Amino acid sequence: MREPIAAPPDNLDGLIARLGRWSAGRGPLYLLLAARLRRLIDEGALPPGTLLPPDRRLAAALAVGRTTVVTAYETLKQEGRLVRRQGSGTRVAAAALPREAPRVKETSNPLFLHLLEAPDDVILLSCAAPDRPPAELAEAYRSLVLPDGDLGYHPAGIGELRAAVAGRFTARGVPTEPGQILVTTGAQQALSLLVRLLLAPGDGVLVEAPAYPGALDLFREAAAVPLPVAVGPDGIDVAEAVRVMERHRPALAYVVPRFQNPTGTVLPPLAGRRLVEAANALGVPLVDDEVLVDLAFDTGTPWTPLSAYGEVIAVGSLSKVVWGGLRIGWVRGPAPLIARLARLKALHDLGSDVPAQLAAARLLDGFAPVLDARLSAIRAGHAHLRAELARLLPSWTCAPTTGGQTLWVRLPHGDGVSFAQLALRHGVAVLPGATTDALGGSLHHLRLHFLAPPKVLTEAVRRLAEAWAEYTPGPGPDRASLHAMVV
């Protein structure tokens, strides 16, 4: 018998995410909250009939007083946008829109929604990406020679870049031909194409818990059923993952074995081999997200890709080493799969930007200086952020990582969702752990990145300490640390 699967989070989580940086602005909090809810209603993101969370529950999640929520709701009720009845709760009024717009699935991921907000004084520790491109990227663009007599449509990617990416896999011990590479518009599109090709509504997907929230978004959009497996100090619990694959035969398994997002853990080689062998034996397509694989602090430590152990679909990109604005990613897999993905990609965009592909190929030809500079910066950022957290927030705990770009922080009490709301009002956006966990756990965790310059990280931790002092009234080690800094 199929075992019950953890229920998805209720509409509170989605609403909190869609509210975004609602408290950024001038004026009373109830007016700011009412303004953001009004916009969501008018845009159709909250269609007529939508049940909103109870006053107290929403207030707790937003870290505000109940009066703030009640007054915001009442304001919108007076405008005819909400209906409030004793016993039946608060709903979006039927007359809030002239007609109900067709429902299109949208992201409620705070990681993405923060990027849609207008620039303000909020420090984005929620989105882990380099804040500036390297000089080598501009030089690569300046030296481009565009092809002559070429239509510019290359759904599978230009040959030069496919060969360069294939060469990188071969150099890492995974012999690869250019025909096994599909170039995509970033790793997110790579995952999106795989989901569209391999998943149907109701299919099971093995995921880590916690996991990269951008992948969880795609699985939800496909109406797939998450089969979460807990991540421990050494990455995903492989024994449990094998049991889940044996029991449910998922249509897809998705893992981040090196510098797992968000925890930063690394899967040991023997565990990786066992995972690949089990997936291959059971016929479960295994997707290895390699986006962070190059970001090892100790470059002398060897790493064997999962693709070396058997048939694996590998996803990668240049966004974390070079710059997020260089939207170049790829998929490595069996040539027949790549051909099918290329046909699907042709349907969506006819191929990724050719000048960007040419620049990427030029960068990969002399990649060592670019990677060395990035590694130097993230090593320093990792040490600096941990030192600042220890200085101002000693009650928070976070293990050091050996690479990647984020710290997985555990709060001593409270929950990450409500604290993140208070942190926003102090000018820092953080990613609550609950948004990454299909098991419904990680409530006491936050994900913080260390990619910003030292001065920005110092200011971010100062603001977080102020927010934590407000979140945790009374004396304590964190309040004492903040007081010592101010004095």
Side-chain angles (χ1 to χ4, degrees):
M1 178 180 295
R2 187 181 178 93
E3 293 187 356
I5 296 169
D10 63 20
N11 66 338
L12 176 64
D13 298 302
L15 177 61
I16 296 299
R18 284 188 173 87
L19 287 173
R21 301 204 289 272
W22 66 272
S23 56
R26 298 181 182 276
L29 287 176
Y30 83 88
L31 286 179
L32 296 175
L33 178 58
R36 185 56 63 97
L37 287 170
R38 182 186 300 114
R39 194 177 89 183
L40 292 175
I41 292 170
D42 292 349
E43 291 175 349
L46 295 176
T50 299
L51 179 65
L52 297 183
D55 310 340
R56 293 184 187 279
R57 195 150 176 255
L58 181 58
L62 295 178
V64 298
R66 177 172 175 255
T67 302
T68 296
V69 176
V70 170
T71 310
Y73 279 175
E74 287 296 328
T75 299
L76 296 175
K77 176 185 175 183
Q78 295 299 319
E79 297 174 0
R81 287 181 167 85
L82 294 182
V83 175
R84 286 166 61 79
R85 292 192 180 94
Q86 186 71 27
S88 60
T90 301
R91 294 182 181 272
V92 177
L97 286 176
R99 62 178 178 84
E100 183 172 349
R103 297 303 296 144
V104 177
K105 292 180 180 178
E106 302 169 346
T107 181
S108 60
N109 185 342
L111 187 152
F112 297 144
L113 291 177
H114 281 310
L115 299 178
L116 297 171
E117 296 277 358
D120 50 31
D121 188 39
V122 174
I123 299 173
L124 292 183
L125 291 190
S126 54
C127 183
D131 65 345
R132 59 178 59 86
E136 289 88 346
L137 178 57
E139 179 57 36
Y141 270 99
R142 279 193 293 269
S143 61
L144 284 185
V145 177
L146 296 178
D148 190 20
D150 186 334
L151 289 176
Y153 299 128
H154 299 272
I158 63 172
E160 184 179 349
L161 181 55
R162 297 176 79 190
V165 175
R168 282 171 53 80
F169 277 98
T170 300
R172 293 164 58 211
V174 183
T176 303
E177 297 296 326
Q180 294 177 266
I181 301 296
L182 173 80
V183 176
T184 60
T185 305
Q188 191 69 17
Q189 188 192 51
L191 291 175
S192 178
L193 292 172
L194 287 167
V195 166
R196 288 179 179 272
L197 183 66
L198 300 177
L199 292 182
D203 281 346
V205 182
L206 187 151
V207 297
E208 299 162 314
Y212 166 53
L216 296 180
D217 261 10
L218 292 172
F219 301 145
R220 293 189 192 104
E221 183 189 34
V225 179
L227 302 168
V229 177
V231 170
D234 293 321
I236 190 172
D237 182 339
V238 171
E240 177 60 19
V242 172
R243 285 192 288 268
V244 168
M245 287 191 289
E246 291 173 339
R247 190 178 303 128
H248 298 288
R249 298 298 173 98
L252 187 71
Y254 169 77
V255 295
V256 186
R258 194 178 203 201
F259 315 131
Q260 197 264 351
N261 185 356
T263 64
T265 57
V266 176
L267 190 66
L270 290 179
R273 180 187 291 274
R274 171 67 178 129
L275 182 65
V276 173
E277 290 175 347
N280 288 178
L282 295 167
V284 177
L286 177 62
V287 176
D288 175 6
D289 188 333
E290 290 194 336
V291 168
L292 301 172
V293 75
D294 288 320
L295 300 182
F297 296 162
D298 181 4
T299 55
T301 302
W303 168 257
T304 303
L306 292 190
S307 299
Y309 300 131
E311 188 166 299
V312 173
I313 304 167
V315 170
S317 86
L318 292 177
S319 65
K320 304 307 181 185
V321 176
V322 181
W323 184 46
L326 182 64
R327 305 304 304 144
I328 294 295
W330 54 81
V331 180
R332 181 207 179 269
L337 173 72
I338 296 302
R340 293 177 65 195
L341 288 170
R343 292 194 292 271
L344 182 59
K345 181 171 167 59
L347 178 67
H348 287 271
D349 63 11
L350 298 179
S352 297
D353 180 74
V354 169
Q357 292 185 65
L358 291 169
R362 189 172 296 272
L363 281 174
L364 289 176
D365 189 43
F367 202 49
V370 178
L371 179 57
D372 288 346
R374 184 64 68 198
L375 292 178
S376 177
I378 63 173
R379 286 190 200 100
H382 173 264
H384 187 78
L385 179 57
R386 293 195 74 244
E388 290 298 289
L389 290 173
R391 182 171 70 92
L392 293 180
L393 290 161
S395 69
W396 291 15
T397 56
C398 60
T401 183
T402 57
Q405 51 193 9
T406 59
L407 290 179
W408 189 234
V409 177
R410 181 178 176 85
L411 304 177
H413 59 82
D415 70 272
V417 173
S418 60
F419 175 71
Q421 288 293 312
L422 190 56
L424 270 176
R425 300 203 285 277
H426 284 264
V428 187
V430 296
L431 188 68
T435 65
T436 70
D437 200 322
L439 276 174
S442 303
L443 296 175
H444 305 297
H445 287 83
L446 302 172
R447 194 197 74 173
L448 310 178
H449 78 73
F450 42 81
L451 302 180
K455 287 184 178 180
V456 176
L457 292 176
T458 295
E459 175 62 15
V461 176
R462 186 193 69 78
R463 295 182 187 186
L464 288 174
E466 287 184 343
W468 186 248
E470 183 179 338
Y471 191 77
T472 311
D478 298 325
R479 184 173 290 274
S481 298
L482 181 63
H483 176 73
M485 180 195 72
V486 173
V487 172

